[in-house]
Each structure stands twice: as structure tokens, then as C-alpha cells.
């Protein structure tokens, strides 16, 4: 039964349906290569010094079922939008654990943060954090990986490389004065995948060296 307006809502009651949708999106994404898997490491290495070459991008594109890739991206974006709407609708009523929680899921590790100042590494597939001035270390999402951050408040810092090469990634930040500073390629950037940054509110800054910011 859906929670009535005003009733407390456990974060897992909102998160678990989202994880189930991500499983389906990931399975579709992983079916998109027509033959050999994408050589993500070569693409990332190339991006260390210059924009991706035309030949490199054409080679990746030729080995992908584009229609299936589009469906996987749309499935991911729709599921993420639905999860964000559920969080916004339940604002002020969401119950989080007293301490941080990590658990395994079908798409990888899921981490639920705290209202304190947390530091989140790049190993979790999904991170949901209720508040605090948090630090998020980003790393490329490759090989069909999923990488999602949903942060509900605080002045947060995102650093590392928010890049997708055949993966699905999203950063959704609800409020706070946030700083996005990439030390490598990527910030909402993708090759053969989907990468989303959605920041609803705050005096934010965005920095990327190469192949970033869409």
C-alpha cells in the first residue's frame, strides 16, 4: 500500500523499486554490443590528452546496437526521474538509518549515507545521501556499469572523473552550494551510454578539463 500523505516513508521503500528498474536497464545496456565488448580503457586513455578521434568513435558506434542503446538510456532516465519525483513528494517524511548502510544488490553495491559530512568513494553503484557537506570521488563507469548519486542536501564536492564509456550514470543534487571539479575527462559526458547531471538549487560551480559538461 502506498504511504498516505504525512506518513513517514522508509528510504528503502522508495529505493528498492528504483533498483529493480535499474536491473532491467543494465541488462538491456549490456546486450547492446554486436560483437566484442567496447575497449573502454583505450577510449579513456585517449581522452587523457585529447578529444576522442573520429575513427575511435566510429569504431565504437559500429559495434553497438544503437536502437537498444537508446532504449536502455531512456529506461534509465525514466526510472531515475520517477525515483527523484518520489523523493521530492516524500520530502520531510523520509526515514534514513541512524548510521550509514551498505549492501549488495544485483547492480552492485548500494550505499545510504548520513546527515553528517560523508566521504563516498567510487565503488558504489548507487549512493543516496540525506544531507551534510559530502565529498564524492568519481571514476569512469565502464563495461555496462551503473553509477548513481542522489544527494538531498548540503554543500557537496564532486571530484575525479565523471565519465561514461558504455555505462549509465546520474548525479542528482537537490540543494546546497556545490562544487563539481573534474581532474580527468568527463562531467555529464558519455560514449555509448548515458550521463546525467541534475542540480536543482544552490550557487554551484562546474569545472572540467576535457570532454565534459555534456
Amino acid at each position: 500500500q502506498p504511504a498516505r500523505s504525512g506518513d513517514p516513508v522508509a528510504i528503502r521503500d522508495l529505493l528498492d523499486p528504483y533498483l529493480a528498474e535499474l536491473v532491467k536497464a543494465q541488462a538491456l545496456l549490456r546486450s547492446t554490443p554486436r560483437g566484442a565488448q567496447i575497449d573502454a580503457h583505450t577510449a579513456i586513455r585517449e581522452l587523457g590528452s585529447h578529444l576522442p578521434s573520429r575513427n575511435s568513435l566510429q569504431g565504437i558506434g559500429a559495434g553497438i546496437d544503437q536502437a537498444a542503446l537508446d532504449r536502455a538510456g531512456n529506461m534509465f532516465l525514466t526510472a531515475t526521474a520517477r525515483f527523484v519525483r518520489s523523493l521530492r513528494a516524500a520530502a520531510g517524511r523520509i526515514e534514513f538509518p541512524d548510521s550509514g548502510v551498505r549492501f549488495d544488490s544485483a547492480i552492485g553495491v548500494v550505499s545510504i549515507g548520513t546527515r553528517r559530512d560523508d566521504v563516498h568513494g567510487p565503488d558504489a553503484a548507487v549512493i543516496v545521501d540525506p544531507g551534510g557537506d559530502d565529498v564524492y570521488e568519481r571514476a569512469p563507469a565502464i563495461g555496462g556499469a551503473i553509477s548513481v548519486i542522489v544527494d538531498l542536501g548540503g554543500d557537496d564536492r564532486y571530484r575525479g572523473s565523471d565519465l561514461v564509456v558504455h555505462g549509465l550514470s546520474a548525479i542528482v543534487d537537490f540543494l546546497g552550494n556545490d562544487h563539481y571539479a573534474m581532474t580527468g575527462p568527463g562531467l555529464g559526458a558519455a560514449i555509448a551510454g548515458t550521463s546525467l547531471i541534475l542540480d536543482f538549487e544552490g550557487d554551484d560551480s562546474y569545472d572540467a578539463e576535457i570532454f565534459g559538461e555534456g
Side-chain angles (χ1 to χ4, degrees), residues 55-80:
N55 287 343
S56 175
L57 292 179
Q58 286 179 336
I60 291 173
I64 286 286
D65 182 337
Q66 186 63 52
L69 182 66
D70 290 344
R71 290 197 302 273
N74 287 334
M75 188 181 297
F76 173 70
L77 292 174
T78 299
T80 301

Side-chain angles (χ1 to χ4, degrees), residues 154-155 173-178 180 199-206:
D155 299 336
D173 193 294
F174 278 44
L175 58 89
N177 300 324
D178 308 307
Y180 301 81
D199 193 303
F200 285 105
E201 184 178 331
D203 184 6
D204 308 310
S205 63
Y206 302 84

Side-chain angles (χ1 to χ4, degrees), residues 3-208:
R4 294 174 298 178
S5 178
D7 287 347
V9 182
I11 183 59
R12 287 294 299 270
D13 290 343
L14 303 176
L15 177 59
D16 287 353
Y18 178 49
L19 297 178
E21 291 187 275
L22 292 183
V23 170
K24 298 176 182 178
Q26 184 180 61
L28 181 55
L29 177 75
R30 286 180 168 172
S31 74
T32 56
R34 290 196 174 101
Q37 296 295 311
I38 293 171
D39 185 356
H41 296 289
T42 297
I44 292 170
R45 187 166 56 250
E46 185 178 36
L47 283 166
S49 58
H50 53 82
L51 291 173
S53 67
R54 183 176 182 179
N55 287 343
S56 175
L57 292 179
Q58 286 179 336
I60 291 173
I64 286 286
D65 182 337
Q66 186 63 52
L69 182 66
D70 290 344
R71 290 197 302 273
N74 287 334
M75 188 181 297
F76 173 70
L77 292 174
T78 299
T80 301
R82 186 179 293 117
F83 180 49
V84 169
R85 284 196 299 268
S86 71
L87 292 170
R88 289 169 69 86
R93 301 184 288 115
I94 304 173
E95 294 182 333
F96 281 84
D98 293 333
S99 57
V101 173
R102 288 169 62 91
F103 61 92
D104 292 325
S105 76
I107 60 167
V109 173
V110 177
S111 178
I112 300 175
T114 73
R115 299 187 188 279
R116 299 184 297 275
D117 299 344
D118 299 323
V119 177
H120 295 283
D123 61 313
V126 175
I127 302 170
V128 182
D129 193 287
D133 299 339
D134 306 309
V135 175
Y136 294 95
E137 302 286 355
R138 305 294 286 147
I142 65 175
I146 287 179
S147 180
V148 174
I149 295 170
V150 179
D151 187 282
L152 304 187
D155 299 336
D156 306 307
R157 287 178 291 160
Y158 300 86
R159 61 195 189 191
S161 180
D162 177 58
L163 173 69
V164 165
V165 182
H166 198 226
L168 300 169
S169 175
I171 297 175
V172 182
D173 193 294
F174 278 44
L175 58 89
N177 300 324
D178 308 307
H179 184 41
Y180 301 81
M182 299 296 102
T183 55
L187 180 58
I191 297 173
T194 298
S195 185
L196 165 73
I197 294 180
L198 176 60
D199 193 303
F200 285 105
E201 184 178 331
D203 184 6
D204 308 310
S205 63
Y206 302 84
D207 298 297

